[in-house]
Amino acid sequence: MRKPLLDRAFSPGRRWSRRELLGSALLALLAGCGVRRSSGPELQFWTLDLSPKFNDYLRGVIAAWEQENPGLKVRWTDVPWGSVERKLLAAVFARTAPDLVNLNPLFSANLASKGGLMDLGPLLPPEASATYLPLIWQASRQDGGQFAIPWYLTARISLSNSDLLTQAGYSQPPRRWEEVPAFAEAVRRRTGKYALFVTAVPDDSAELLESMVQMGVTLQDQRQRAAFNSPAGRRAFAFWSDLYRRGLLPREVVSQGYRRAVELYQSGELALLSSGAEFLRSIQTNAPGIAAVTRPGPPLTGPDGLANVAVMNLAVSRQSTKAKQALSFALYLTNAANQVRFAEEARVLPSARQALERIEQGLRQQTPANAQERLVRQARLQSVETLGQARVLVPATPGVKRLQAILYRQLQRAMLGQIESDQALAEAEREWNVYAEARWP
């Protein structure tokens, strides 16, 4: 099953070779960032898994920009998610890295931390940041530099099975994490099903890590050392390990990823699914009976009500000899008019303020002719409303995927009863600090 936009993850590959390749490629990039193909009229632009569905849209935007910039041509390459890191690193080695590349924040943060991406700050027009949602713009900053332009977004919402909720004695799903244990117990006792599925597989979804932030956990201090072994961190670890030990989470949360959550929800075995609104159409196709009883709602949050937003961005390679032109095209691609069109086609959210206002206005004025379209409209409106209280809960800082892996592995041990949750958290603190002290002395 093909994952929707922004719900996909980079292929992990073999860990040792990936780390070696990344380190070697970045060294190569830093050693010869200006020594690449000779400059010419062609701008190399890479996207992630947008072809063939969005061919007409992107070719139209490219043609319009080329018309406004005579003598310049854009060569567009679409790269599958599973091979993007391998292909990009190979291009770095060959000094043929794309001028402009569509990345997720984690990989772009890692490249930026090693000097692989251009700091766009000196090249940006005055007040360029005012075009975009403030918290989304800030998510693409690192060490005072602007290393990416935000493009499209997904704000996570809750999709709930109203039949299972009714059987469990609920008219609405919980809104806060603190309400989940009682809800999970009611669903399990009265229906034999599960309330939710949040994976603890280290290289999969960051939802569990994000939930810790929502529960008040600070992950790192200013020196990148562990800050999570705190009262809030101990409560969060105990929250998840207790749910698992009580049999209120599916056993496979320690062995299977987000895809399993989707399978369980579509088979009627799960009361609640955290997802983007755009995924609702897949449920309507794959499980129409479940879609008919699905109700979109606000996401689970902590006491402050902050939700998570996933961001895709556009970055300019340090190897580029046409950085100004690449930035010009990125700003054109992400202007309000173009973002409105893409958001409508892809059923995602735009990062530009004016585009979001137009999308919301259009949704409120819609009068869908059938129940399926009304449900999609309701989910998209919920996403727009959620975006008002959403931010990137786990900033894309260097090493954050290593941090996730360490925390998840230790939490798995606590879930499986191999170690007490407080001890698991302390071990995660020790393991992360060993890594952090070596990387940031």
Side-chain angles (χ1 to χ4, degrees):
M1 178 175 60
R2 181 185 175 95
K3 293 184 182 179
L5 296 175
L6 286 163
D7 279 341
R8 304 167 189 146
F10 286 111
S11 175
R14 292 189 304 166
R15 290 186 181 177
W16 65 269
S17 60
R18 182 181 173 189
R19 288 199 298 268
E20 289 178 350
L21 278 172
L22 182 57
S24 299
L26 291 173
L27 285 173
L29 189 153
L30 291 169
C33 61
V35 187
R36 56 163 289 181
R37 60 181 180 271
S38 60
S39 60
E42 198 167 71
L43 186 73
Q44 300 289 333
F45 170 48
W46 285 15
T47 58
L48 302 181
D49 238 352
L50 297 183
S51 181
K53 187 173 183 180
F54 305 107
N55 283 3
D56 291 344
Y57 167 77
L58 283 167
R59 286 170 180 161
V61 173
I62 289 169
W65 185 80
E66 288 175 343
Q67 189 172 5
E68 293 185 12
N69 295 269
L72 285 171
K73 293 292 181 182
V74 175
R75 179 182 289 275
W76 170 40
T77 302
D78 192 67
V79 183
W81 273 89
S83 60
V84 61
E85 291 193 24
R86 175 176 55 80
K87 288 182 179 295
L88 184 56
L89 296 179
V92 167
F93 272 122
R95 306 291 191 269
T96 58
D99 298 287
L100 184 68
V101 60
N102 168 205
L103 294 172
N104 78 357
L106 291 176
F107 194 31
S108 58
N110 205 3
L111 286 173
S113 72
K114 302 295 185 181
L117 298 180
M118 187 80 65
D119 179 2
L120 303 176
L123 304 178
L124 283 166
E127 305 302 323
S129 62
T131 302
Y132 304 88
L133 299 168
L135 292 179
I136 304 304
W137 181 263
Q138 292 171 18
S140 297
R141 294 184 62 79
Q142 187 179 114
D143 297 329
Q146 188 72 32
F147 290 97
I149 302 296
W151 190 6
Y152 59 91
L153 322 170
T154 292
R156 184 182 293 131
I157 63 172
S158 291
L159 301 177
S160 58
N161 183 318
S162 59
D163 280 357
L164 291 181
L165 260 63
T166 300
Q167 293 176 45
Y170 283 76
S171 58
Q172 298 291 334
R175 296 283 300 275
R176 300 287 186 263
W177 287 110
E178 64 189 30
E179 303 166 1
V180 165
F183 173 68
E185 186 174 0
V187 171
R188 189 67 180 149
R189 185 176 68 251
R190 298 178 181 177
T191 72
K193 314 294 185 182
Y194 290 100
L196 74 169
F197 184 110
V198 179
T199 181
V201 173
D203 58 1
D204 206 88
S205 168
E207 183 182 359
L208 194 152
L209 193 61
E210 292 155 6
S211 78
M212 293 179 62
V213 175
Q214 290 174 316
M215 294 176 190
V217 179
T218 299
L219 297 176
Q220 301 176 68
D221 62 22
Q222 293 182 343
R223 297 178 57 244
Q224 287 83 41
R225 304 305 190 259
F228 50 76
N229 191 3
S230 61
R234 290 188 284 275
R235 286 193 297 270
F237 252 49
F239 175 93
W240 287 111
S241 58
D242 287 352
L243 277 180
Y244 189 83
R245 292 189 190 188
R246 291 167 60 193
L248 300 179
L249 291 173
R251 293 186 61 81
E252 58 266 44
V253 299
V254 298
S255 59
Q256 296 191 49
Y258 178 76
R259 183 186 295 267
R260 182 58 177 161
V262 174
E263 293 171 350
L264 288 174
Y265 186 81
Q266 292 186 158
S267 63
E269 297 294 318
L270 209 62
L272 201 63
L273 178 70
S274 293
S275 183
E278 75 284 353
F279 191 67
L280 187 54
R281 289 192 183 276
S282 295
I283 299 175
Q284 290 175 333
T285 299
N286 299 327
I290 298 299
V293 297
T294 291
R295 300 292 177 266
L300 284 162
T301 69
D304 59 9
L306 281 177
N308 187 66
V309 59
V311 182
M312 288 298 289
N313 58 34
L314 297 167
V316 178
S317 167
R318 182 85 175 274
Q319 287 187 356
S320 176
T321 58
K322 293 181 283 296
K324 290 183 179 179
Q325 296 90 332
L327 176 59
S328 168
F329 181 60
L331 294 172
Y332 185 80
L333 187 60
T334 59
N335 69 28
N338 285 324
Q339 286 215 41
V340 167
R341 289 177 53 214
F342 186 69
E344 288 291 357
E345 288 196 30
R347 295 294 190 266
V348 292
L349 296 176
S351 60
R353 293 170 182 260
Q354 290 185 3
L356 185 64
E357 291 170 1
R358 293 182 202 175
I359 291 293
E360 182 175 10
Q361 183 180 32
L363 286 169
R364 296 196 183 282
Q365 293 173 347
Q366 282 181 10
T367 53
N370 57 62
Q372 284 192 336
E373 291 302 319
R374 286 194 293 272
L375 189 61
V376 170
R377 172 184 175 272
Q378 183 183 350
R380 295 188 68 205
L381 270 174
Q382 181 64 67
S383 289
V384 171
E385 292 167 3
T386 298
L387 195 56
Q389 292 184 296
R391 65 180 176 89
V392 178
L393 292 174
V394 180
T397 55
V400 71
K401 290 301 286 184
R402 171 72 70 92
L403 176 61
Q404 175 180 318
I406 290 171
L407 283 166
Y408 280 27
R409 283 196 300 267
Q410 293 300 332
L411 182 57
Q412 285 180 344
R413 296 178 68 198
M415 287 175 158
L416 295 169
Q418 298 170 356
I419 189 173
E420 291 303 314
S421 64
D422 284 0
Q423 187 181 353
L425 189 65
E427 181 60 24
E429 177 187 40
R430 185 200 64 77
E431 190 177 348
W432 170 256
N433 281 339
V434 168
Y435 170 79
E437 288 165 8
R439 182 162 182 180
W440 300 284

